[in-house]
Amino acid sequence: MNGSMMLSPIPQSSKGTPIYATVNKSRQRNGKASSSSEMEANSRNSSLRSRSPSASSSKSSTGSMKRNPAVASKMDEPPLQVEVLISISDREAVTKYSEEVHIRKVKPTLGIAVEGGAGTRQPLPKVITVQSDGAAGQSSTLRVGHVILKVNNKTLFGLDHKAATRLIAEAFKNKSRNSVDLLVLDSNAYKIMY
């Protein structure tokens, strides 16, 4: 195979698309490999390329493949991150992406700090600290970045910071229940629009 290209399959990518390596076969003269300068030139022309089987390629007159600059710049970029955008007014999306957090009252203090409330740029309380020695740190999956939507099925929509924190504190102090149930959205995982 004089100067021809061969596509050899290598392991599949994480998306299941086969990845192909472009390999230049060195020319042979009477059963021997080409000179070292020809082999160096061939090795410069050989490179790994991420390529789907249906992609087209252009060939130069010598038969080697040209690297498309647009494809090359895309290959050098990190993988695309998909961001889920949730509008608080979209009840279906809130229901789909929210999670319930149950905080058992195993410690005398709740052990969280929140920021935000109605009338601020963060209109719902967002957890900014979870103390490891408080009830939230000991007995729940509550994390920094969780936006609290409901406390014991009572909504926090429209409550200013003081009223929202009072509702959370009273829910924890309520002796008739042994836990506090929160409905939260994870602002670390989703972009939330208010």
Side-chain angles (χ1 to χ4, degrees), residues 94 97-101 141 143 146 182-186 190:
V94 169
Y97 294 105
S98 62
E99 58 188 277
E100 289 185 11
V101 174
T141 56
R143 296 185 305 272
H146 276 167
L182 305 177
L183 184 67
V184 300
L185 276 173
D186 190 352
Y190 311 116

Side-chain angles (χ1 to χ4, degrees), residues 11-136:
Q12 290 191 344
S13 71
S14 62
K15 300 217 185 268
T17 306
I19 299 174
Y20 289 86
T22 305
V23 181
N24 254 344
K25 295 284 187 178
S26 62
R27 293 184 191 156
Q28 295 192 0
R29 293 184 195 151
N30 299 332
K32 295 182 180 177
S34 304
S35 69
S36 62
S37 62
E38 280 186 25
M39 289 175 65
E40 285 176 23
N42 283 341
S43 70
R44 281 193 301 266
N45 290 334
S46 296
S47 64
L48 288 178
R49 292 186 173 97
S50 174
R51 179 182 167 88
S52 67
S54 62
S56 62
S57 62
S58 59
K59 290 191 174 189
S60 69
S61 59
T62 61
S64 64
M65 297 182 81
K66 291 181 182 177
R67 187 170 177 169
N68 183 342
V71 172
S73 67
K74 296 254 185 230
M75 289 172 48
D76 298 334
E77 293 175 7
L80 200 75
Q81 296 291 324
V82 177
E83 189 173 62
V84 176
L85 182 65
I86 301 171
S87 173
I88 290 297
S89 61
D90 183 355
R91 290 180 189 240
E92 187 177 318
V94 169
T95 301
K96 181 177 179 179
Y97 294 105
S98 62
E99 58 188 277
E100 289 185 11
V101 174
H102 304 285
I103 303 172
R104 292 188 329 269
K105 298 178 183 178
V106 296
K107 295 287 184 172
T109 61
L110 181 56
I112 66 170
V114 298
E115 69 178 1
T120 68
R121 62 186 181 93
Q122 175 65 44
L124 285 166
K126 180 178 180 179
V127 178
I128 57 172
T129 305
V130 178
Q131 297 172 347
S132 60
D133 59 346

Side-chain angles (χ1 to χ4, degrees), residues 171-187:
F172 185 74
K173 290 179 185 176
N174 184 348
K175 303 250 187 234
S176 67
R177 296 181 59 133
N178 62 359
S179 68
V180 176
D181 299 326
L182 305 177
L183 184 67
V184 300
L185 276 173
D186 190 352
S187 68

